[in-house]
Amino acid sequence: MRKTLLYLLLALASITTSAQNKREFRGAWIQSVNGQFMGMGTEKMQRTLSYQLDELQKDGVNAIIFQVRPECDALYASSYEPWSRFLTGRQGVAPSPYWDPLYWMINECHRRGMELHAWINPFRAKTKNTTELASNHIARQRPELVFPYDGLYILNPAYQENRTYICKVVADILKRYDVDGLHIDDYFYPYPVQGCVIPDNFEYSSNNYGFGNINDWRRNNVNMFIKELHDTIEAVKPWVKFGVSPFGIYRNKKNDPARGSMTNGLQNYDDLYADILLWVEKGWIDYCVPQIYWEIGNKAADYKTLINWWTANCTNRPLFIGEDIERTVKFNQQEIKHQLHTSLLGHKSPLQGTVLWYAKAAVDNIGGYGTNLRNIYWRYPALQPLMPFKYGDKPGKVRKVKPIWTSDGYVLFWEAPKSRNYKNIANKYVVYCFKKGESINIEDPSHIVAITPNTWYNLPYVNGKEKFVYVVTALDRMSNESAHVKKNVKL
């Protein structure tokens, strides 16, 4: 019986790994608003993050979504907003010894071949448990721009000044930091709380833009913001990817028979005033990550129903699924969900990846989730999905590929390709390894041995008796891949 089970597991692993796609967004959210780093101190936080990144890299993760602005504050050096209390324990107090977590994380992620997407909460100005705001916080500098709601402060989306301010903060991040993406989640207007009313009747009556009801007017306020943020990113750094992670239900079918899902829960469109599908259809965002945190069979929001709904409706931009690790493990559904993803994943489907909620749960290997990622589901590396709507030209081939003996051992070196503009600049490189005589197929991710920002690769030399063919390609910012260059090597 035990042998039969072992054979079944090995067969399943073989099927799963052979089905792996060469291109897949494999993200993980690293949050700060839960206080996991608060007051930890520079050395311990760097050590903690280094460990998390190492483990996530082993798990196959290729993109980190790092929360750097939870409540109009900053886990980076900002001239506009105060240092976050979720970093130092008190808002406005700089870390000591001094460091810049965003700058540090960018370097650490890039060194590991990962993307770094800076995650901001645009409108939330104060969380419930924050009792003290720094003197330079916008809610103290301009209290008329925020409204209170159930213990929160919210930058009022009705004010153009607020939308412009958020875009200014984002432009500052983009200009000073080498981020790969700018990410926002599901907090626009606040989640509805019984007995609480959004205090914006005055703004609606003052300038309703011709909308006959306040709900459409609120949605328009958020729509204008998303369009302005998209335009800001395009103007400052057009290669930066703009992603949104909405609540998992767009609308219920009972509210929208034509476009709703067979669900019964809170809705982006009606309750948060976020018309996600409009943003996708207009091309205002570059990727969408709905938070489908429920299990298969959930009576209010079935996972399978929702993943199929988003795949059918979110067709104009890459779709990544937000996955709750703890809930998935609790209901023993990791393999079922992965097979569902695999059946939908591909070039003809908008579904092109997964983002894990949240990173620490994978690192802690809850229910063996991380082990399964690294040994089965994400065993081989993956390149980022293509985004030809941003740009699709391939970079040139790498030059002068040559193995050289150095003090660090036998090293394969190459030179970056020549480039004409930012679209052709090589950003990373992919190194493949094939046995002598083996067919060169760079579409097979099992042959990838490194995705690296470096122009060298340390070869695993043994005795110089076995022949291999190493292949090197260049990737640009959009992961467009160059033609390959081969080099015969004896190891």
Side-chain angles (χ1 to χ4, degrees):
M1 181 67 181
R2 291 178 67 183
K3 283 187 175 181
T4 302
L5 179 59
L6 177 61
Y7 290 144
L8 285 173
L9 288 172
L10 289 172
L12 176 60
S14 175
I15 292 170
T16 305
T17 53
S18 67
Q20 286 186 29
N21 201 305
K22 178 182 173 179
R23 292 186 178 273
E24 185 177 1
F25 191 92
R26 300 173 178 175
W29 280 293
I30 295 184
Q31 68 190 116
S32 59
V33 74
N34 66 343
Q36 66 171 317
F37 305 121
M38 188 161 57
M40 186 177 278
T42 300
E43 183 180 345
K44 185 177 179 180
M45 184 170 170
Q46 289 179 352
R47 189 167 62 247
T48 299
L49 286 169
S50 290
Y51 174 72
Q52 289 188 4
L53 293 178
D54 286 343
E55 293 302 298
L56 292 168
Q57 184 182 28
K58 294 173 188 174
D59 290 343
V61 170
N62 60 17
I64 298 297
I65 300 174
F66 182 49
Q67 190 176 28
V68 298
R69 185 182 183 265
E71 50 178 3
C72 291
D73 53 357
L75 276 84
Y76 62 95
S78 173
S79 59
Y80 297 111
E81 297 183 314
W83 284 101
S84 177
R85 78 176 181 92
F86 296 109
L87 176 63
T88 63
R90 184 177 182 184
Q91 192 177 94
V93 175
S96 180
Y98 181 85
W99 71 305
D100 185 322
L102 177 56
Y103 179 81
W104 186 91
M105 280 289 286
I106 290 168
N107 289 335
E108 291 298 308
C109 286
H110 288 176
R111 185 167 64 82
R112 292 170 173 82
M114 297 173 169
E115 290 192 345
L116 189 286
H117 294 225
W119 165 18
I120 72 165
N121 297 89
F123 292 106
R124 187 171 62 200
K126 186 185 82 67
T127 58
K128 279 188 177 184
N129 294 324
T130 297
T131 58
E132 180 185 15
L133 297 176
S135 60
N136 62 330
H137 190 277
I138 190 167
R140 289 191 62 183
Q141 294 280 317
R142 300 290 305 280
E144 72 279 8
L145 296 180
V146 306
F147 63 76
Y149 188 91
D150 190 40
L152 306 172
Y153 285 166
I154 306 294
L155 285 177
N156 194 333
Y159 294 145
Q160 178 61 52
E161 189 171 351
N162 282 338
R163 300 193 293 267
T164 300
Y165 171 73
I166 299 165
C167 289
K168 180 175 69 173
V169 168
V170 168
D172 176 59
I173 293 173
L174 300 186
K175 288 173 182 176
R176 296 190 297 115
Y177 295 91
D178 187 23
V179 297
D180 301 288
L182 191 286
H183 184 89
I184 62 177
D185 57 23
D186 50 335
Y187 289 94
F188 302 103
Y189 279 90
Y191 272 69
V193 175
Q194 188 173 6
C196 294
V197 177
I198 297 173
D200 60 356
N201 278 317
F202 173 78
E203 288 80 11
Y204 173 62
S205 61
S206 300
N207 187 2
N208 62 19
Y209 296 107
F211 287 96
N213 69 72
I214 198 168
N215 295 338
D216 289 337
W217 173 78
R218 287 172 180 162
R219 272 186 290 275
N220 183 64
N221 292 334
V222 180
N223 290 342
M224 287 192 292
F225 164 69
I226 294 295
K227 175 63 164 60
E228 289 167 23
L229 187 51
H230 164 271
D231 291 349
T232 297
I233 295 168
E234 283 292 305
V236 178
K237 281 186 179 174
W239 58 84
V240 170
K241 302 168 185 177
F242 176 28
V244 176
S245 177
F247 183 74
I249 299 172
Y250 174 68
R251 297 194 85 187
N252 300 311
K253 204 167 196 60
K254 65 182 180 182
N255 297 89
D256 187 343
R259 302 195 78 177
S261 55
M262 289 296 294
T263 49
N264 183 28
L266 183 136
Q267 305 161 101
N268 278 290
Y269 186 91
D270 301 84
D271 301 311
L272 302 176
Y273 309 101
D275 191 351
I276 313 296
L277 291 190
L278 176 70
W279 311 342
V280 169
E281 290 160 1
K282 293 287 188 181
W284 293 342
I285 63 176
D286 297 320
Y287 66 85
C288 181
V289 194
Q291 299 167 23
I292 309 181
Y293 291 166
W294 303 275
E295 72 278 7
I296 296 172
N298 186 286
K299 292 181 181 180
D302 173 58
Y303 179 92
K304 186 174 182 180
T305 295
L306 281 167
I307 193 174
N308 286 325
W309 184 92
W310 282 97
T311 303
N313 288 275
C314 184
T315 56
N316 196 42
R317 286 293 183 264
L319 173 69
F320 315 140
I321 299 302
E323 181 83 36
D324 185 317
I325 291 176
E326 292 189 15
R327 186 181 289 263
T328 298
V329 168
K330 178 182 178 182
F331 290 94
N332 298 313
Q333 294 185 345
Q334 188 177 3
E335 174 56 26
I336 301 171
K337 287 185 175 183
H338 180 80
Q339 292 297 340
L340 180 58
H341 281 221
T342 302
S343 68
L344 295 170
L345 194 69
H347 298 297
K348 295 182 180 180
S349 169
L351 180 57
Q352 297 185 47
T354 306
V355 182
L356 305 176
W357 177 258
Y358 57 105
K360 190 175 184 299
V363 171
D364 291 345
N365 198 26
I366 294 174
Y369 196 99
T371 299
N372 285 336
L373 287 179
R374 69 181 64 182
N375 293 335
I376 304 176
Y377 309 131
W378 291 352
R379 179 178 175 183
Y380 303 119
L383 278 60
Q384 297 295 338
L386 295 171
M387 293 188 175
F389 49 86
K390 291 183 82 67
Y391 56 85
D393 294 340
K394 296 180 180 180
K397 294 191 293 186
V398 298
R399 301 173 295 153
K400 301 180 180 179
V401 180
K402 186 177 181 180
I404 299 174
W405 278 102
T406 73
S407 58
D408 292 324
Y410 205 28
V411 180
L412 188 67
F413 288 94
W414 59 89
E415 291 185 6
K418 294 180 180 179
S419 57
R420 297 185 301 275
N421 54 50
Y422 75 87
K423 294 182 180 180
N424 305 117
I425 295 175
N427 184 51
K428 288 195 288 279
Y429 303 92
V430 188
V431 182
Y432 304 82
C433 179
F434 300 87
K435 291 182 179 180
K436 187 68 176 179
E438 194 173 11
S439 176
I440 305 298
N441 176 19
I442 66 169
E443 294 307 310
D444 182 352
S446 69
H447 291 281
I448 297 175
V449 294
I451 300 173
T452 175
N454 303 320
T455 54
W456 67 86
Y457 172 74
N458 288 87
L459 293 164
Y461 184 84
V462 180
N463 54 23
K465 294 182 179 180
E466 193 166 359
K467 296 178 180 179
F468 295 90
V469 179
Y470 274 81
V471 170
V472 183
T473 62
L475 301 176
D476 63 17
R477 291 274 188 176
M478 291 297 106
S479 288
N480 297 303
E481 189 173 19
S482 73
H484 65 266
V485 177
K486 299 185 295 184
K487 194 67 180 180
N488 295 325
V489 179
K490 291 183 180 181
L491 300 177

